[in-house]
Amino acid sequence: MLDLKDRNRCPTLEEIGQYVENPVFIKFCSEIKIVFQCQEIIEFSSCSWERGWNVKFKKSGKTLCTIYPRIQYFTVMVVVGKREKEYVEFILPECASELQRTYYQTKEGNEQRWLMVDLEDEDSLYHDVFRFIHIRRNS
């Protein structure tokens, strides 16, 4: 089994997908690659809060999102900064209640909120996170 804490062995996206054991992970990554025309960057984070391998998607030097693999689900981090805030707050009332709660419970620092959203299904939450990524890309 893949050890996400093993800094010496960089996994492939497919190996991470096998680790997650949820087809929604590969679907989410594939959609980001197609929609935003970018490739994944698999990086090792030494951060004590979230140590291990993660998957980043960047476009034009801006991180669109970072994905933290889990077993049976994955966590997507999307940053809502000063430029995105107005647009995100405009659509927020239409978003899944779970995402609304996450947004308002996430403390703002340096005019940013670092939202951590757990995904396991292709449901409204999945699509709302994608909307936030679109806003991040276009801001």
Side-chain angles (χ1 to χ4, degrees):
M1 177 170 227
L2 178 63
D3 180 3
L4 291 177
K5 308 286 186 219
D6 181 1
R7 162 179 228 115
N8 298 315
R9 185 179 175 286
C10 179
T12 65
L13 189 63
E14 292 72 25
E15 289 173 320
I16 295 172
Q18 290 170 358
Y19 174 87
V20 173
E21 298 178 337
N22 184 329
V24 175
F25 171 80
I26 291 295
K27 180 170 181 25
F28 187 84
C29 292
S30 295
E31 279 190 59
I32 289 177
K33 289 163 74 167
I34 292 167
V35 170
F36 300 107
Q37 299 178 330
C38 60
Q39 290 298 310
E40 72 275 2
I41 301 165
I42 300 173
E43 292 184 342
F44 189 86
S45 172
S46 296
C47 174
S48 60
W49 181 67
E50 197 66 54
R51 183 174 164 75
W53 292 101
N54 60 54
V55 181
K56 284 190 178 163
F57 287 94
K58 294 182 179 185
K59 184 70 177 183
S60 302
K62 179 187 280 187
T63 300
L64 301 176
C65 68
T66 302
I67 302 172
Y68 299 93
R70 319 284 190 214
I71 295 177
Q72 297 294 314
Y73 71 102
F74 53 101
T75 301
V76 180
M77 181 180 72
V78 179
V79 177
V80 177
K82 183 167 61 173
R83 286 189 226 142
E84 297 89 12
K85 183 177 180 176
E86 180 182 345
Y87 300 106
V88 164
E89 290 184 354
F90 180 77
I91 68 164
L92 198 57
E94 306 167 1
C95 294
S97 59
E98 184 178 344
L99 186 56
Q100 291 179 41
R101 264 191 315 279
T102 299
Y103 183 83
Y104 288 116
Q105 289 174 355
T106 301
K107 291 187 188 318
E108 192 172 304
N110 294 330
E111 299 184 79
Q112 296 182 339
R113 292 178 200 249
W114 294 40
L115 305 179
M116 301 292 281
V117 183
D118 295 336
L119 295 180
E120 59 183 307
D121 298 305
E122 189 182 349
D123 54 9
S124 60
L125 183 58
Y126 174 106
H127 294 288
D128 290 340
V129 168
F130 232 87
R131 290 172 75 188
F132 278 28
I133 295 169
H134 270 282
I135 290 169
R136 179 132 177 97
R137 169 64 182 107
N138 294 325
S139 64

